[in-house]
Amino acid sequence: MTSFQRIKNIAFSALMIACCVVLLLNPKDGVVIVTVVLGIAIVLYGVRKLVYYITMARHMAGGLSLLFIAVVAIDVGSFALFVVEDPHIAIVLYLVVYNMYTGVLSIARGVEAKLMGSRWKYRVVHGLVNIALALLCVAFSASDQIVIYIFCIGLFYSAVTRLISAFKPTEIIYIQ
């Protein structure tokens, strides 16, 4: 990781912790804030994938799948921004799907890392935490405030993991 990437991770972690504090101080308007933030984040992710497809991925094998991912992400993010009036169901659904997807993917990467003989425990624990957050969202989906608290827990956890990765020394492979 370069110095710029480390600084970027530290700054983004500080921003995530600040957002977490703002949401904890104002949980009543938190559902609307979370919906807007998630919608904008998903749209920006889709735009980033679309730009990557246009600039490079259209010449790659399997690049067309990135175009589909970009279009779906832009659609889902736009939908999230349009349901800001009554976002409860949408926010719970997005949090559950995101945390389950991230959790299953992290566990799969951890199992792959174990088979390769690399560090795997952190990835599996990260996946289990995300799956637990998804299950908590399902269990407490009736209460807006508890869903906001679960989102804040996930946001804080992501910020802490970014900080840890920013201060962790970069693994370098030397070929002799």
Side-chain angles (χ1 to χ4, degrees):
M1 185 180 297
T2 65
S3 296
F4 178 73
Q5 289 172 332
R6 290 183 196 278
I7 292 170
K8 187 173 76 169
N9 273 344
I10 292 169
F12 196 67
S13 295
L15 180 67
M16 288 168 65
I17 291 172
C19 288
C20 184
V21 169
V22 167
L23 286 174
L24 287 175
L25 292 177
N26 191 6
K28 291 185 181 185
D29 295 329
V31 176
V32 175
I33 294 169
V34 168
T35 305
V36 170
V37 168
L38 281 178
I40 290 172
I42 293 170
V43 167
L44 289 177
Y45 172 79
V47 168
R48 190 178 75 195
K49 290 292 180 185
L50 186 63
V51 168
Y52 179 67
Y53 170 77
I54 291 170
T55 57
M56 288 187 64
R58 64 185 168 151
H59 304 294
M60 296 170 29
L64 191 60
S65 64
L66 286 173
L67 176 64
F68 295 140
I69 290 171
V71 170
V72 168
I74 291 171
D75 287 344
V76 168
S78 301
F79 178 73
L81 291 173
F82 286 122
V83 296
V84 170
E85 299 294 323
D86 186 24
H88 180 73
I89 295 171
I91 191 69
V92 170
L93 182 66
Y94 284 148
L95 285 176
V96 168
V97 169
Y98 172 76
N99 283 322
M100 284 299 267
Y101 174 76
T102 306
V104 169
L105 197 62
S106 293
I107 289 173
R109 287 181 179 162
V111 169
E112 181 185 18
K114 183 178 182 181
L115 293 174
M116 298 290 213
S118 181
R119 296 182 189 164
W120 59 275
K121 292 178 185 175
Y122 171 74
R123 290 180 181 157
V124 171
V125 169
H126 184 68
L128 291 174
V129 167
N130 280 333
I131 290 174
L133 287 173
L135 294 176
L136 283 173
C137 278
V138 170
F140 297 108
S141 62
S143 173
D144 287 344
Q145 288 185 340
I146 295 178
V147 169
I148 294 302
Y149 294 147
I150 292 169
F151 178 75
C152 287
I153 290 169
L155 194 64
F156 185 75
Y157 177 72
S158 295
V160 169
T161 56
R162 275 184 178 265
L163 278 175
I164 289 171
S165 69
F167 290 112
K168 192 183 298 184
T170 305
E171 295 179 8
I172 300 173
I173 299 173
Y174 292 104
I175 300 174
Q176 295 181 359

